[in-house]
Amino acid sequence: MDFNELVEKIAEKVLERISESENNALYSKSSMETVQNNFLKIEKRVITEQDIKKAQEQHVNLICITEKTIITDLARECAEQKNISFKIC
């Protein structure tokens, strides 16, 4: 593992911890809206792989995000594998 890969792994872990600490409520009313017609609006600052997996459990195929939302690389890969796309709303 080279230096850049190490930095990326550390950054990924930091972003995941930031996401987890945001009110420590992944699916609270303040951080996520209800699912309607396979559409989910997420108002969190950081979206992780865990968020994508939970969205898939609810049969979501489109996640609406803000312009400032950060999507981790793992979350992006997971969404691609599960045919979940993102849209800025």
Side-chain angles (χ1 to χ4, degrees), residues 2-13:
D2 70 2
F3 179 75
N4 288 336
E5 290 173 333
L6 180 60
V7 169
E8 283 183 34
K9 276 193 160 200
I10 291 170
E12 183 82 21
K13 290 290 183 185

Side-chain angles (χ1 to χ4, degrees), residues 60-86:
V60 168
N61 59 16
L62 177 65
I63 297 176
C64 184
I65 59 174
T66 68
E67 289 182 3
K68 295 184 179 184
T69 301
I70 298 168
I71 304 169
T72 66
D73 289 340
L74 283 175
R76 201 173 292 279
E77 288 174 22
C78 184
E80 186 176 309
Q81 291 171 354
K82 298 179 185 310
N83 295 319
I84 297 174
S85 56
F86 299 97

Side-chain angles (χ1 to χ4, degrees), residues 45-62:
R45 178 134 167 91
V46 179
I47 296 177
T48 65
E49 179 184 27
Q50 182 182 22
D51 297 320
I52 302 303
K53 288 179 178 179
K54 291 197 179 210
Q56 187 211 16
E57 289 172 4
Q58 297 183 20
H59 308 288
V60 168
N61 59 16
L62 177 65

